[in-house]
Amino acid sequence: MASIGKIARRTFLIGVAAVAGGAAFGAWYVMKPAPNPLKPGDGAATLNPFVLIDGEGVTLIAPRAEMGQGTHTTWAALLAEEMDLDLDQVRVIHGPPAAAYYNTAMLAEAVPSKGYDASAFQHNLGQVVAKMGKVLKMQVTGGSTAMKDGYERLRVTGAATREMLKTAAANRLGVAIETLRTERGAVIAADGITLPYTELAAAAAEVDPPSVQLRDASDWRLLGKTQPRIDLAAKTMGTAQFGIDTRLPGMLFAAVRMAPTRAGMTRFDAFEAERMPGVEKIVDMGDGVAAIATNTWLAQRAVEAVEVDWEPSSYPETTEEMFAALDSAFDNEEPDSTYRDDGIVTLIPDGAEVVEATYRVPFLAHATMEPMNATAWFDGDKLRIWCGNQGPTFLQARCAEEAGVALEDVEVNVTLMGGGFGRRGELDYAVLATRVAKAVPGTPVNVTWSREEDMTHDFYRPPAQARMKGAVQDGGIVMIDAQVAAPSIMGQAMDRWTGFAPGGPDVSIVDALFNQPYGLKNYRVRGWRADIAPPLGFWRSVGASFNGFFHESFMDEMAHAAGRDPLELRMELTRDEWLPAWQVLEAVGAMSGWTGETPEGTGRGLAMVYSFGTPTAMVIEVQDQDGLIRLTNAWIAADPGVALDPGNIEAQLTGAMAYGLSAAIGEEITFAGGRAEQSNFPDYRTLRMSQMPRTEVRVLQNQERLNGIGEVGTPPAAPALANALFDLTGKRVRELPLNKHFDFYA
């Protein structure tokens, strides 16, 4: 299999030894591409950043990270569909940092609209705004955009490449191109002559890329069907290479111990640690220490043996102080945003019943199974990095700054990653690995964080608080006035990535609150920015992770106050507002056999959240078993518009629901003395396998355009569970985690 190691040299130069006289090429007419980072050597050619054809066959250079979500498999299928390849004929490697690999979909989400009601003009405007990603070098995997980014891009590349190969074959055989067909990586003439793509690659590189017509979905061979994961065999056999698996000649191993207060240290004493057998060096990291040893376990033991006095934190020291800051944010003279302000929410009709509720959610860690790690090799002039990362262009820039070298002298190798969820969009672990490598020039160092270091130095999902007010009358909802206070994730993250924080309101504070497809005449949503300073970052589904809980818990309260069935009322409010939302509600009702009534000892809860362009409805069923709450069944219906791989979508929805249930039941980060109190899975209670409900998924395709899927199963999980617990017990809980109020089976 081709690898970055085989074909990368400095800025990903393609030499004759790598391509064996072949060519790397393709075409992309969606918009003018950025400069191609693939540079040909003697006897090789390249026209596009995505496809390499050499003596081994076809390699897809995929710039979106694979962290278990199946991106590489579906991107390979997108290319193979139009190139007339079987899936097993496409090898996939991650691309180098380059502007050409910017995410064409991510910044399009920044165009203000509810999303579901976006006009053709707004959609086209989003495509124009998305081009700014090229300027900002937004080579980012996140926001449930990988498929939206690749959907047309890879098919057009595959189709144009196919036609270029056919043109090369027609020229060689002296026949009309219309007489040729392609199949399984070869061009086939009418008389049966077969020319493999590998033989035609160099000649095809001399052909001008044509404009192409993409195949209709009715003609798809691969897309629309469940495909075998291309990484399954390696992961099953243990040969898949994650960042933590990196091994290089002469490698040393290191562990870090950074300030738990996110400040600095006043002193440290490494005398005993430096004397431990196998310890090579203790490194002063400025705001922490690192130990370099002959293996990771020795490094971990050594760094813990260092005596350190830490500086106090610069942010509020306790959870209570931080939530007080959330409360005070509502007192600001003006909100950060008012993205929805329909009708008049202050005029409540006589006789209407007013419903008010306050909700809150805690800080959360990402808790990826593979802890943070990176391998760095610095020789004084060049820096090489190996790690899983969701934003390699930003990582390259920060590591170059740390090493004091030019950008082109930093080679970034993006590996498979054992979970990302937004955490590997950060840069800190690679920067720290670079700092360690500077202490031992010429020696590669594998830097692995302990679980405790990982969890107490996360970029947390922020806490949030909502004040919800509504009114019901005659079995219907008269108005909703929603307010939410939360810190700005976007401001912090963009400052870390690019060095500046964007101005204006932060839509992530109100995402999945202001843009829910319910047809209400009086509907206002305001966001209040809270000034809370602990490091914060993107967490699976971002603002929707807490606003889904706020909105759908309150919708359930409103339904009960109105004397209505929660499903019936939601379907009534979505039918004329946006049909795809009504259809997922209809589907989940039919799947679960929803009647609005549950037997003694059983509870069911419903939630429907529109996020990342996809409406997702969920029903959770719970039972009281000997005084313990057990999740017994779950049903999910979602409509991403186009189901490129139904089996993978089912896996993503199920996994995202599990992630949301985990946070709903037992996860919480609290602070005391400026330090995170939870440090490992015994006190950060993630979902256990025995707690996972039986799950059924239905994927609908009623939307016109393809939308996100990787995160949309998370937001409805917590409210569906909380609503089910209310149905079972009559107890309405408005804060997470729920294990503060219920005893769950484990």
Side-chain angles (χ1 to χ4, degrees), residues 275-293:
R275 298 173 62 202
M276 296 173 66
V279 174
E280 300 283 330
K281 194 169 190 177
I282 301 297
V283 182
D284 181 350
M285 301 286 281
D287 51 353
V289 293
I292 303 174

Side-chain angles (χ1 to χ4, degrees), residues 388-652:
N389 185 259
Q390 294 174 243
T393 48
F394 299 134
L395 183 143
Q396 182 188 42
R398 285 296 305 280
C399 289
E401 180 183 340
E402 174 65 34
V405 299
L407 198 65
E408 59 267 23
D409 291 325
V410 178
E411 175 190 304
V412 177
N413 300 276
V414 179
T415 66
L416 296 174
M417 56 193 81
F421 314 123
R423 178 62 179 95
R424 285 188 161 89
E426 301 297 340
L427 317 172
D428 55 329
Y429 52 97
V431 172
L432 291 180
T434 300
R435 195 172 301 169
V436 171
K438 287 162 57 179
V440 283
T443 302
V445 186
N446 180 293
V447 183
T448 301
W449 295 25
S450 67
R451 177 61 64 190
E452 290 76 14
E453 193 71 18
D454 184 285
M455 196 164 285
T456 57
H457 291 80
D458 204 340
F459 291 83
Y460 302 108
R461 198 288 303 272
Q465 188 161 295
R467 295 178 179 177
M468 308 291 289
K469 183 177 181 179
V472 297
Q473 189 175 44
D474 300 328
I477 298 177
V478 177
M479 72 86 173
I480 290 180
D481 188 10
Q483 301 181 74
V484 62
S488 172
I489 304 171
M490 188 63 70
Q492 280 203 24
M494 290 303 293
D495 188 49
R496 289 193 295 268
W497 283 355
T498 65
F500 72 93
D506 185 346
V507 71
S508 70
I509 294 174
V510 293
D511 189 30
L513 191 64
F514 84 95
N515 53 351
Q516 294 310 287
Y518 291 113
L520 293 170
K521 291 183 179 179
N522 304 301
Y523 200 168
R524 181 171 65 176
V525 176
R526 288 172 290 172
W528 304 86
R529 188 180 298 215
D531 184 17
I532 302 177
L536 307 171
F538 298 110
W539 188 91
R540 193 173 191 172
S541 75
V542 201
S545 68
F546 50 80
N547 285 321
F549 174 64
F550 300 155
H551 194 279
E552 287 303 286
S553 294
F554 192 63
M555 284 297 294
D556 205 64
E557 295 203 47
M558 298 279 279
H560 285 283
R564 297 290 299 280
D565 174 81
L567 176 61
E568 180 185 76
L569 181 60
R570 284 177 173 85
M571 293 182 70
E572 181 181 291
L573 291 171
T574 55
R575 188 190 65 180
D576 295 330
E577 180 71 9
W578 194 49
L579 193 56
W582 183 91
Q583 288 165 327
V584 296
L585 286 164
E586 179 190 43
V588 84
M591 293 163 64
S592 63
W594 182 280
T595 63
E597 298 181 0
T598 50
E600 185 69 24
T602 299
R604 285 187 170 188
L606 167 71
M608 190 281 295
V609 179
Y610 170 77
S611 63
F612 304 95
T614 298
T616 305
M618 185 179 298
V619 171
I620 299 289
E621 180 184 84
V622 297
Q623 289 184 355
D624 184 331
Q625 296 186 1
D626 300 323
L628 298 176
I629 304 297
R630 185 163 192 170
L631 282 65
T632 50
N633 288 288
W635 296 270
I636 311 170
D639 184 355
V642 181
L644 293 176
D645 188 318
N648 193 53
I649 291 174
E650 179 178 348
Q652 283 296 289

Side-chain angles (χ1 to χ4, degrees), residues 30 110 225 294 309 333 359 567 620 669:
V30 177
K225 302 177 180 65
T294 53
D309 292 335
E333 186 173 341
Y359 302 88
L567 176 61
I620 299 289
I669 292 291

